[in-house]
Amino acid sequence: MANKPQLRIAVDIGGTFTDMAAFDEASGKLLFGKALSTHGELVKGIQATIDSADIDWRDGHLFLHGSTIAINTLLERNGARTALLITEGFRDIYEIGRVNRPDAYNLFFNKHTPLVKRSLRFEVAERLRADGSTHKPLDEAAVRELARELKGEGVEAVAVLLLHSYRNPAHEQRVKQIIQEEIPGAFVCASHELSQEYREFERVSTAVANAYVGPRVSEYLGQLENHLGSKGFDGDFYIVQSTGGLFPVEHAKVGCVRMLESGPAAGVIGAQAICAQLGMGDAIAFDMGGTTAKAGVISEGRPLTTGSALIGGYERALPIQIPMMDIHEVGTGGGSIARVETGNALRVGPQSAGSIPGPVAYGRGGTEPTVTDANLLLGRLDAEHFLGGELKLDLDGCQKQMRERIAKPLGLDPTEAADGILRIAVTQMSHAVKAVTTERGLDAGSFTMVVYGGAGPLHASAIAREIGIRKVLIPYAPGYFSAYGMLFSDLRYDYVRSVFRKLNDVSFDEIEAAYKKMEDEGRAALAQSGVKPDGVVIERAADMRYVGQEHAVTVDLPMAFFESKDRSAIKQQFDELHKVRYGTSAPKEPADLVSLRVTVLGTMKKPPKHSVEAGTATPEKSAIRAVKPVYFRLGGWADTPVYVRDHLRAGNVIAGPALIEEHASTTVVQPGDELRVDELGNLQISIGSDR
């Protein structure tokens, strides 16, 4: 009898690299693989990571996957030809949006550009009241005629938004059914399938985004399924959601927009696991890859999430109204291109060299200097040992392009130009950290910053200095960390219902019934899963606001509040969160319940703690691979020891300056900083007082 497959395989596709982490549940062993992302043929990049780790798909029983395909399709505007069907009289709400003007004094401000042009937005004769009752019946004959017109227009995807469908989805369901009958091959998305909250602009934007990316994402997932089958994989295939939870690939093909931030969310889940292992309640999860840098927050042991997000930059963004990790992203990564623009201004990003052609250093045709090239010129990367020596870097080419394209136009030498690029990049990345801490009422300086991604450890200390953070932690295998974080993900289903009740007046029986209905849906979804979870965890929350306020905040609500029917405890929880978020609260003012939220988790077996042998405070001499000149802004060029991370032991202490090299990443320890290796093999850096 053949051995039962024991591998849990996780793959994360980024803008530059594709990373793989696998957990052998029988032996507890972890395996890693990395390859350049193969845009246009993403499956090839996935297979390359499997081959690099010498893994056989037939040994896998569970495949977990996160990809940038959905968000890239949205940002690059290369999705499907999409039509929008909307309640008559509301054709233009998608374009009008809201009256928010984030940059009030900018004369060149532009509103968002809809994904669907006006000529493909059509009105549907129907109308529901706010309570879900019918005001005007659906004209099915007109919908059928419209569907035939769409077919003639060559429409590939259709989004449906009918007013108040969050109360009663009957009309949307019927419209979707008619379209599928008339255009069998079209991707059709009704808004109630993704969001059952009020606010029609946010709901229509979410539905359109899902329809727009749907054909491309579902086609890709189908191709990947076929590839896995051809390689003998007979296990279960799950996608990582933007919440960091897992859901079946069949659901992902329909709710494609739920995987917009799958990779970054998995990284935050990994950071949460590190916090749990160390007994650390608060942390900033910071991820810097080849294309972008992302930041999220762990507060009191739990990742902060949000019910909606703006995708594509605040001033032109489109809202997506689904639960997701509260992550802020900036277009600064290792591959971010540096350019001298009009007025001799040096700009870094958001354009990225990606994997093709990649930075100049990769020798694959890139000619524009990047953050990676700057790190190479300053001695922080080794041309002969990048990715363990698998990719030789072109130092001469970097020097030439840096001199010609950046240094000469600015009247600098190449070292000053490279340092300038890194200083700009660090400042930009610090904005991502501030966005999820300072702008949320949190003191960033009181958090430990968990830094990962292939490029993250290169800049961790500099970013911490910029913000005033005193502790930095570099986890085990940071270059594979988002894939590694997927191994700690649980099955997850999120539900939300808008209720609009005053807290003082609402019946606890009514609230309990609404919560229980959502919880039962989640339990049923878990029961249909091909993977049997170890246990089930239910989490409740509510969107609350003071009476008369426009916007609400999401408040986590322990089950004990409902068991004791403690209305005052719910109000106090809201007051305290409002105080943190906005610096003020009004305990004597009444509050509204806007929406009820439920998260149903099917907990999975987690990989064991990674640990290292204990050693002395001073690392063995064998841990030092070389001593070489490295440039630091705090002290210029300095002879710097280069340590091999695999040779470090728990308890080792290293004073900066130093470099810590491993296969897919390099950690920079600045002068004045001190690094200590903990019992789990994490690199804990205490930031010096010299800023």
Side-chain angles (χ1 to χ4, degrees):
M1 182 177 176
N3 292 330
K4 183 179 178 181
Q6 295 291 319
L7 278 184
R8 189 189 307 180
I9 303 169
V11 174
D12 170 48
I13 299 179
T16 305
F17 286 99
T18 297
D19 301 323
M20 186 280 300
F23 169 46
D24 189 330
E25 297 181 355
S27 66
K29 185 178 180 181
L30 287 166
L31 303 168
F32 297 100
K34 182 182 282 281
L36 289 167
S37 296
T38 49
H39 300 287
E41 296 181 281
L42 296 176
V43 175
K44 282 189 175 181
I46 293 174
Q47 186 59 49
T49 67
I50 298 296
D51 294 340
S52 70
D54 197 24
I55 286 176
D56 191 326
W57 283 109
R58 291 172 292 185
D59 294 329
H61 77 95
L62 184 62
F63 176 55
L64 314 177
H65 185 42
S67 173
T68 56
I69 185 171
I71 194 166
N72 285 349
T73 301
L74 200 59
L75 296 178
E76 294 168 7
R77 300 289 178 121
N78 57 5
R81 180 174 171 80
T82 305
L84 170 64
L85 272 57
I86 195 164
T87 300
E88 62 181 351
F90 291 84
R91 181 183 183 187
D92 293 316
I93 61 170
Y94 180 43
E95 186 161 355
I96 294 170
R98 301 208 172 274
V99 296
N100 300 356
R101 188 182 178 92
D103 197 353
Y105 301 103
N106 181 0
L107 298 178
F108 302 99
F109 170 77
N110 289 305
K111 286 176 65 70
H112 67 272
T113 302
L115 297 170
V116 177
K117 58 185 181 181
R118 195 171 192 271
S119 61
L120 287 177
R121 298 178 222 148
F122 302 91
E123 297 186 354
V124 175
E126 67 85 43
R127 184 66 184 268
L128 297 177
R129 299 184 180 91
D131 62 0
S133 61
T134 301
H135 174 70
K136 181 177 183 179
L138 175 67
D139 187 341
E140 294 190 11
V143 172
R144 194 170 296 278
E145 183 178 345
L146 178 57
R148 291 167 181 163
E149 181 182 342
L150 296 179
K151 186 175 182 179
E153 289 280 346
V155 166
E156 303 167 85
V158 180
V160 183
L161 182 284
L162 303 182
L163 215 61
H164 304 304
S165 60
Y166 64 92
R167 287 288 193 207
N168 178 2
H171 284 184
E172 277 195 357
Q173 290 169 339
R174 183 57 183 146
V175 170
K176 179 175 179 177
Q177 183 181 13
I178 292 171
I179 296 171
Q180 289 176 325
E181 290 171 359
E182 296 296 332
I183 321 175
F187 185 99
V188 188
C189 172
S191 71
H192 74 274
E193 298 169 328
L194 299 168
S195 172
Q196 297 198 17
E197 296 179 73
Y198 79 123
R199 297 190 187 278
E200 59 270 16
F201 170 53
E202 286 76 7
R203 286 193 299 118
V204 69
S205 179
T206 304
V208 169
N210 193 63
Y212 186 76
V213 305
R216 184 176 177 187
V217 174
S218 57
E219 180 184 8
Y220 160 70
L221 293 176
Q223 290 173 352
L224 183 51
E225 275 189 298
N226 293 336
H227 178 78
L228 297 179
S230 70
K231 294 294 182 179
F233 177 77
D234 194 33
D236 294 293
F237 181 5
Y238 281 77
I239 299 297
V240 181
Q241 305 177 58
S242 297
T243 57
L246 306 173
F247 68 150
V249 65
E250 294 79 13
H251 295 184
K253 288 180 180 179
V254 177
C256 309
V257 75
R258 295 189 187 277
M259 59 183 290
L260 282 176
E261 296 285 1
S262 56
V268 179
I269 294 297
Q272 180 190 23
I274 295 292
C275 289
Q277 292 169 0
L278 296 174
M280 186 167 61
D282 299 329
I284 298 164
F286 181 82
D287 174 11
M288 181 184 178
T291 305
T292 59
K294 289 80 69 174
V297 169
I298 313 295
S299 179
E300 297 180 356
R302 297 180 60 184
L304 296 187
T305 58
T306 180
S308 62
L310 293 168
I311 303 297
Y314 185 55
E315 70 279 1
R316 297 188 183 183
L318 291 166
I320 303 296
Q321 193 181 49
I322 57 171
M324 61 177 64
M325 206 69 77
D326 191 359
I327 293 172
H328 189 84
E329 184 169 322
V330 294
T332 307
S336 293
I337 294 170
R339 291 173 176 156
V340 177
E341 298 188 341
T342 304
N344 274 359
L346 179 59
R347 182 181 180 89
V348 180
Q351 295 81 12
S352 173
S355 59
I356 300 175
V360 178
Y362 288 6
R364 297 163 61 91
T367 58
E368 296 186 279
T370 66
V371 172
T372 294
D373 299 314
N375 277 303
L376 178 61
L377 288 178
L378 297 181
R380 302 177 180 202
L381 295 176
D382 194 303
E384 299 299 319
H385 290 86
F386 190 73
L387 289 181
E390 294 175 11
L391 180 60
K392 304 297 182 182
L393 301 182
D394 181 5
L395 178 58
D396 292 339
C398 281
Q399 290 174 332
K400 177 184 176 183
Q401 296 298 340
M402 185 70 72
R403 183 182 300 108
E404 296 299 322
R405 292 178 177 268
I406 306 296
K408 279 187 177 180
L410 296 177
L412 304 172
D413 64 45
T415 297
E416 292 172 325
D419 182 56
I421 290 171
L422 296 192
R423 291 175 67 178
I424 292 171
V426 165
T427 300
Q428 291 175 172
M429 290 186 286
S430 72
H431 293 160
V433 178
K434 292 175 183 177
V436 295
T437 52
T438 307
E439 294 180 16
R440 302 288 190 269
L442 304 173
D443 177 14
S446 65
F447 284 70
T448 296
M449 188 164 70
V450 180
V451 180
Y452 49 93
L458 281 165
H459 306 274
S461 293
I463 295 168
R465 273 184 162 77
E466 182 85 7
I467 300 169
I469 292 172
R470 295 178 289 277
K471 292 286 185 182
V472 169
L473 184 147
I474 311 297
Y476 174 65
Y480 308 91
F481 198 73
S482 288
Y484 176 67
M486 295 177 189
L487 301 176
F488 291 88
S489 293
D490 295 314
L491 302 174
R492 176 167 177 154
Y493 293 91
D494 291 274
Y495 302 92
V496 57
R497 299 288 187 276
S498 292
V499 291
F500 306 112
R501 297 283 192 278
K502 286 184 171 57
L503 178 61
N504 290 336
D505 300 336
V506 71
S507 160
F508 266 94
D509 291 339
E510 180 185 356
I511 297 176
E512 190 63 38
Y515 273 124
K516 190 174 185 308
K517 183 177 180 181
M518 291 187 283
E519 291 164 6
D520 288 344
E521 288 182 41
R523 290 181 186 275
L526 287 179
Q528 295 173 4
S529 169
V531 177
K532 184 175 177 60
D534 288 351
V536 177
V537 175
I538 306 291
E539 297 176 351
R540 291 181 177 181
D543 292 353
M544 298 181 65
R545 64 189 180 191
Y546 292 113
V547 173
Q549 278 188 323
E550 167 66 9
H551 297 288
V553 295
T554 301
V555 186
D556 293 327
L557 300 176
M559 299 292 284
F561 289 2
F562 301 95
E563 294 168 359
S564 61
K565 298 186 177 181
D566 193 342
R567 213 180 297 266
S568 62
I570 295 175
K571 177 61 162 57
Q572 183 179 355
Q573 191 93 334
F574 165 60
D575 289 333
E576 291 174 354
L577 180 61
H578 198 280
K579 178 78 172 178
V580 170
R581 182 64 61 88
Y582 299 110
T584 185
S585 64
K588 295 183 180 180
E589 293 294 323
D592 286 333
L593 286 173
V594 179
S595 297
L596 305 180
R597 297 181 181 274
V598 163
T599 297
V600 181
L601 296 169
T603 57
M604 307 277 283
K605 180 181 178 182
K606 304 298 189 290
K609 294 180 181 178
H610 173 266
S611 60
V612 295
E613 297 177 11
T616 61
T618 304
E620 297 289 333
K621 290 184 178 180
S622 61
I624 299 180
R625 185 183 62 76
V627 176
K628 68 174 189 175
V630 178
Y631 184 86
F632 298 94
R633 184 164 63 91
L634 298 176
W637 289 97
D639 287 338
T640 303
V642 181
Y643 293 85
V644 179
R645 183 167 183 176
D646 287 345
H647 294 171
L648 296 178
R649 298 292 175 256
N652 286 170
V653 177
I654 298 171
L659 299 181
I660 316 297
E661 284 187 352
E662 54 191 299
H663 183 268
S665 189
T666 298
T667 299
V668 173
V669 185
Q670 298 271 1
D673 294 350
E674 184 178 85
L675 178 149
R676 182 180 66 85
V677 183
D678 68 23
E679 64 276 10
L680 302 182
N682 301 306
L683 308 180
Q684 298 199 21
I685 304 174
S686 298
I687 304 301
S689 59
D690 181 8
R691 298 196 179 106

